[in-house]
C-alpha cells in the first residue's frame, strides 16, 4: 500500500439509522481526516456500533450520506466498503486459528499465478504487512500458536493488505496487557501518519482515547454530544459527555431496600473469593438466596466472561467459588449444572435451543434422565405433560408443536426460561436476558425472573447492557471494568442511570 501526503476526508452527513420506531443514530454529522486517529466514545447503546456497521457496509442508513473526498459512497454489503478502502477490525478476532499467517492475511483474495495460488508472493507480501504492524514472526506459523496481542496486530495487517484508506478499530485493546496497549498505539500512530490513513478508534477507555487520538467524538442516545480535538478537552469533560443525560430510574420504590432485606435468607449463599482467571482479576462478591444481583459494565468489562467462569466454561486459576459454605471446583459446565447452576446465554439462537425441535423438546433436553424408565426407555407422555405445564406457566404463545425457530423472539426466550426453571436450579446466570425482544415480552420476562427469586428463593445473577433493565430487576448492582469488580455491590434503591454510567467509567468505583 502506497502512502500519500495529500489530505482528504471521510464525511458522515446527517446520518440517521432507525430500527422500528427507535433511532440508533439521530442526524449525526462528523468529519474524519486523513493522517489522524479519531476516537469515538459513548456508553452502551450510544450508537458507536451502529456507526461502525454503516461505515463498514454491514448496515445501510435510513437517511444521510457518506462522502469520501468528493465521492458519495453507498454500500449494500461489506465487500463494497472493502472495495472503497474501508476495513473494520472487530473486537472479536476473526482470523481462523488453524491456518498459517500467510494464508490468513490473504483469505478470500489470494495472490495467484494463472489458476494456481502463488505462495511465494503471498509469503513475501505477508512479511511486508507484518513489518508494517511491527510483527517479527514466521509467516508459516499457525495462528493458534500466537498470542492475543500478535493476533490483534495480524487482524490490522490483514486489513492493510486490502489497500485500506480507512481503518476502523472496535475496542482493540480489550484483551491486551498495558505494555501491549502502548505498543499497539505506537503502531497505529505510525500507520496514520506514514500511510496517511484515517483511523477511527472505538474505545470505552477514555484515558486511552485522549492519549492516542487527535480528535474525539462522543455519542449519547444516537446524537453527537461533543466533537473536538483531544488537545482541547479534559478527561472530566469527556466523561461528562459520555455519561450524557438520563432520567432517574422511576420504578424503584422507597420500600425496595426493606423488601430486599426481608427476602434474602442467606446473604452469603453464593460467594466468589479473590478469583483470578483469563481476563478476570481479583473477583470477589457475595450474593444471597433470593437476591437478584445485577452485573453492569461497558462492553469488554468482563461481565459475560464472569458468567461463563461461574458456569464452568472457563477455568479458575486462583481463588475460590463457594456455594452454601462449600468450596466448588468446576472442570466443565456439566459440573456446574450438577451443582444446581443454570445458565442462559445472550446468544439464544446459537447456544440456547435446537432450532428444529419443538418448544417442549427443548425445555426437557437437559433433564431427559427424569423421564426414562429403567434408565433406558424414554417416557414421551410424561415428558410432554411436564413440558406443557412448564410452558403454560410462562404463557408462551405460538405454534408450540412446530420448530421453536418459528416462534417470536420473546416467546423463544420464555421457552428458554421454562427450560432453565425446569432444572430446579439454586443459582441462575442470565446474560442479556431480554436481548432483541419487544417491550411487552420484556415485562413478562422481568416478572418471571422476579418470581423465581421471590417465590423459589433462587439466587439470580443478571448481566445487562441496558441500565433501565438493571435498575428494574436488581436488588444490588456490581460494577465491572477491565475484568475487575469495582468497589462493593451497591443497593439499587435510588440509583440512577447516570450513577451507573459514572461508576463504570471511573476506576475508583462506587462507595
Amino acid at each position: 500500500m502506497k502512502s500519500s501526503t495529500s489530505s482528504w476526508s471521510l464525511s458522515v452527513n446527517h446520518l440517521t439509522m432507525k430500527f422500528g420506531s427507535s433511532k440508533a443514530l439521530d442526524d449525526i454529522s462528523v468529519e474524519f481526516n486523513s493522517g489522524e486517529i479519531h476516537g469515538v466514545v459513548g456508553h452502551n447503546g450510544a450508537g458507536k456500533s451502529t456507526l461502525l456497521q454503516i461505515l463498514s457496509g454491514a448496515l445501510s442508513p435510513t437517511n444521510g450520506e457518506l462522502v469520501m473526498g468528493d465521492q458519495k459512497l453507498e454500500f449494500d454489503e461489506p465487500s463494497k466498503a472493502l472495495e472503497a478502502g474501508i476495513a473494520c477490525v472487530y473486537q472479536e478476532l476473526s482470523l481462523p486459528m488453524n491456518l498459517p499467517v500467510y494464508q490468513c492475511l490473504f483469505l478470500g483474495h489470494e495472490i495467484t499465478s494463472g489458476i494456481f495460488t502463488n505462495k511465494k508472493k503471498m509469503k513475501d507480501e505477508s512479511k511486508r504487512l507484518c513489518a508494517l504492524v511491527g510483527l517479527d514472526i514466521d509467516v508459516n506459523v499457525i495462528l493458534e500458536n500466537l498470542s492475543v496481542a500478535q493476533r490483534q496486530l495480524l487482524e490490522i495487517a490483514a486489513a492493510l493488505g486490502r489497500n485500506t484508506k480507512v481503518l476502523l478499530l472496535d475496542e482493540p485493546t480489550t484483551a491486551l496487557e498495558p505494555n501491549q496497549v502502548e505498543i499497539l498505539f505506537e503502531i497505529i500512530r505510525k500507520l496514520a501518519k506514514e500511510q496517511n490513513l484515517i483511523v477511527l478508534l472505538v474505545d470505552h477507555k477514555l484515558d486511552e482515547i485522549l492519549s492516542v487520538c487527535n480528535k474525539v467524538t462522543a455519542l449519547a442516545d444516537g446524537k453527537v454530544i461533543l466533537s473536538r480535538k483531544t488537545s482541547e478537552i479534559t478527561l472530566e469533560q469527556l466523561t461528562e459527555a459520555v455519561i450524557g443525560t438520563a432520567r432517574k430510574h422511576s420504578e424503584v420504590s422507597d420500600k425496595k431496600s426493606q423488601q430486599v432485606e426481608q427476602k434474602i435468607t442467606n446473604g452469603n449463599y453464593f460467594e466468589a473469593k479473590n478469583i483470578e482467571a483469563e481476563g478476570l482479576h481479583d473477583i470477589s462478591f457475595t450474593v444471597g438466596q433470593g437476591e437478584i444481583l445485577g452485573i453492569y459494565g461497558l462492553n469488554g468489562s468482563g461481565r459475560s466472561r464472569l458468567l461463563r467462569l461461574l458456569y464452568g466454561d472457563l477455568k479458575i486459576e486462583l481463588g475460590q467459588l463457594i456455594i452454601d459454605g462449600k468450596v466448588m471446583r468446576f472442570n466443565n459446565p456439566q459440573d456446574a449444572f450438577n451443582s444446581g447452576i443454570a445458565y442462559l446465554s445472550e446468544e439464544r439462537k446459537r447456544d440456547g435451543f435446537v432450532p428444529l425441535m419443538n418448544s417442549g423438546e427443548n425445555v426437557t433436553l437437559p433433564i431427559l434422565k427424569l423421564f426414562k424408565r429403567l434408565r433406558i426407555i424414554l417416557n414421551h407422555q410424561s415428558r410432554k405433560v411436564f413440558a406443557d405445564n412448564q410452558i403454560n406457566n410462562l404463557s408462551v404463545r405460538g405454534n408450540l408443536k412446530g420448530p421453536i425457530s418459528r416462534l417470536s423472539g420473546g416467546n423463544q426466550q420464555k421457552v428458554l426460561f421454562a427450560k432453565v426453571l425446569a432444572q430446579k436450579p439454586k443459582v441462575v446466570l442470565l446474560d442479556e436476558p431480554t436481548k432483541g425482544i419487544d417491550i411487552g415480552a420484556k415485562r413478562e420476562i422481568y416478572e418471571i425472573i422476579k418470581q423465581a427469586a421471590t417465590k423459589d428463593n433462587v439466587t439470580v445473577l443478571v448481566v445487562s447492557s441496558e441500565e433501565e433493565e438493571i435498575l428494574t430487576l436488581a436488588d444490588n448492582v456490581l460494577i465491572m471494568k477491565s475484568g475487575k469488580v469495582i468497589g462493593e455491590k451497591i443497593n439499587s434503591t435510588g440509583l440512577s442511570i447516570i450513577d451507573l454510567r459514572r461508576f463504570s467509567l471511573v476506576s475508583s468505583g462506587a462507595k
Side-chain angles (χ1 to χ4, degrees):
M1 183 178 63
K2 296 179 180 179
S3 61
S4 170
T5 56
S6 59
S7 297
W8 55 279
S9 64
L10 172 65
S11 299
V12 170
N13 298 329
H14 303 289
L15 212 61
T16 295
M17 186 70 213
K18 290 184 180 180
F19 295 101
S21 59
S22 64
K23 290 183 179 179
L25 293 175
D26 188 1
D27 193 32
I28 73 166
S29 295
V30 187
E31 184 173 86
F32 306 101
N33 296 313
S34 62
E36 293 184 346
I37 305 172
H38 196 126
V40 176
V41 298
H43 225 275
N44 298 332
K48 307 185 301 296
S49 295
T50 303
L51 177 60
L52 278 190
Q53 287 176 300
I54 291 173
L55 291 174
S56 63
L59 288 175
S60 296
T62 307
N63 292 305
E65 63 178 9
L66 306 178
V67 179
M68 184 185 289
D70 56 1
Q71 180 182 0
K72 183 177 178 181
L73 303 178
E74 292 185 2
F75 308 136
D76 54 9
E77 57 184 29
S79 62
K80 301 296 184 183
L82 286 171
E83 290 173 9
I86 302 176
C88 187
V89 177
Y90 290 100
Q91 183 178 344
E92 297 295 330
L93 303 183
S94 61
L95 294 177
M97 299 285 283
N98 60 338
L99 293 180
V101 168
Y102 78 91
Q103 288 187 4
C104 288
L105 292 181
F106 289 93
L107 197 61
H109 61 116
E110 291 79 4
I111 299 174
T112 59
S113 295
I115 62 172
F116 299 103
T117 300
N118 192 326
K119 291 185 178 181
K120 184 180 185 305
K121 282 189 177 180
M122 285 171 59
K123 290 179 181 180
D124 289 343
E125 184 65 8
S126 293
K127 292 174 184 177
R128 186 186 71 82
L129 291 172
C130 286
L132 277 179
V133 297
L135 275 178
D136 182 15
I137 58 173
D138 181 358
V139 296
N140 294 292
V141 73
I142 305 298
L143 251 66
E144 66 182 2
N145 296 316
L146 299 178
S147 68
V148 173
Q150 288 173 319
R151 286 190 282 121
Q152 180 76 67
L153 291 172
L154 274 180
E155 297 269 349
I156 296 174
L160 296 177
R162 291 178 173 271
N163 292 317
T164 296
K165 301 174 184 175
V166 181
L167 181 62
L168 313 177
L169 300 177
D170 183 17
E171 305 281 4
T173 67
T174 298
L176 302 184
E177 298 298 329
N179 64 313
Q180 296 170 331
V181 170
E182 187 48 48
I183 292 171
L184 175 64
F185 283 167
E186 188 56 41
I187 290 166
I188 293 172
R189 290 187 190 101
K190 185 178 179 181
L191 287 173
K193 184 177 180 180
E194 294 184 2
Q195 304 296 325
N196 203 32
L197 299 179
I198 291 174
V199 178
L200 192 156
L201 174 64
V202 171
D203 194 341
H204 67 268
K205 299 172 185 175
L206 305 187
D207 53 343
E208 291 183 355
I209 287 287
L210 291 177
S211 73
V212 72
C213 295
N214 305 100
K215 293 179 182 175
V216 60
T217 295
L219 300 177
D221 302 319
K223 298 180 180 180
V224 173
I225 304 300
L226 172 152
S227 192
R228 292 167 63 181
K229 292 181 179 179
T230 53
S231 60
E232 300 172 350
I233 188 172
T234 65
L235 178 60
E236 291 73 19
Q237 290 172 320
L238 188 56
T239 300
E240 289 303 314
V242 171
I243 290 171
T245 57
R247 64 182 178 84
K248 190 163 184 174
H249 181 61
S250 60
E251 297 183 23
V252 181
S253 71
D254 294 334
K255 297 180 180 179
K256 185 171 182 181
S257 182
Q258 296 176 4
Q259 293 169 349
V260 172
E261 294 298 324
Q262 291 170 3
K263 80 175 188 176
I264 297 174
T265 57
N266 178 356
N268 294 327
Y269 179 75
F270 189 88
E271 183 176 6
K273 272 183 132 178
N274 307 115
I275 288 178
E276 295 279 342
E278 183 182 354
L280 297 169
H281 309 288
D282 197 23
I283 302 292
S284 296
F285 62 89
T286 61
V287 198
Q289 282 183 295
E291 179 180 351
I292 303 175
L293 178 68
I295 302 175
Y296 181 76
L298 296 172
N299 292 332
S301 62
R303 54 197 186 170
S304 295
R305 180 173 286 271
L306 174 59
L307 291 195
R308 288 177 55 207
L309 176 132
L310 298 177
Y311 193 55
D313 194 33
L314 296 175
K315 185 180 178 182
I316 295 177
E317 296 171 359
L318 290 173
Q320 294 179 325
L321 178 62
I322 302 169
I323 302 178
D324 201 16
K326 183 180 178 182
V327 177
M328 311 301 292
R329 279 288 175 188
F330 300 149
N331 294 315
N332 49 56
Q334 185 64 47
D335 290 345
F337 174 84
N338 293 340
S339 299
I341 298 179
Y343 169 63
L344 192 56
S345 164
E346 70 170 315
E347 298 294 343
R348 62 175 176 267
K349 292 183 179 180
R350 186 186 69 190
D351 304 325
F353 57 71
V354 181
L356 296 181
M357 282 187 172
N358 66 34
S359 299
E361 290 168 339
N362 272 284
V363 165
T364 54
L365 200 55
I367 54 171
L368 279 180
K369 66 179 181 180
L370 299 180
F371 308 101
K372 288 183 178 179
R373 289 177 289 192
L374 303 177
R375 299 186 179 182
I376 300 174
I377 304 170
L378 184 63
N379 187 329
H380 292 281
Q381 183 59 28
S382 64
R383 175 188 179 184
K384 182 179 183 303
V385 170
F386 177 87
D388 288 347
N389 285 335
Q390 292 291 123
I391 289 169
N392 291 335
N393 287 341
L394 300 189
S395 302
V396 180
R397 293 176 285 273
N399 180 10
L400 304 182
K401 295 181 180 179
I404 188 174
S405 58
R406 295 180 184 173
L407 297 180
S408 68
N411 283 298
Q412 287 175 354
Q413 196 73 342
K414 285 195 280 184
V415 170
L416 292 182
F417 269 95
K419 177 181 174 182
V420 163
L421 298 177
Q423 300 167 33
K424 299 191 182 303
K426 300 172 184 176
V427 179
V428 172
L429 311 174
L430 303 174
D431 195 356
E432 302 286 0
T434 65
K435 180 180 178 180
I437 63 178
D438 63 64
I439 189 168
K442 277 188 178 186
R443 289 172 178 166
E444 292 180 279
I445 286 172
Y446 291 165
E447 191 57 33
I448 292 168
I449 296 170
K450 290 177 180 178
Q451 289 288 322
T454 304
K455 290 192 173 181
D456 300 327
N457 214 26
V458 174
T459 298
V460 180
L461 284 74
V462 55
V463 162
S464 179
S465 55
E466 296 184 30
E467 296 100 343
E468 190 83 10
E469 183 161 280
I470 288 285
L471 296 176
T472 297
L473 285 172
D475 303 311
N476 296 294
V477 181
L478 201 67
I479 305 294
M480 291 194 68
K481 180 180 179 181
S482 302
K484 298 178 182 178
V485 171
I486 305 300
E488 302 291 330
K489 66 182 181 182
I490 318 159
N491 188 285
S492 63
T493 305
L495 269 183
S496 69
I497 291 174
I498 287 179
D499 292 332
L500 286 181
R501 292 180 178 180
R502 190 182 301 278
F503 292 152
S504 67
L505 285 170
V506 296
S507 58
S508 57
K511 301 295 183 185

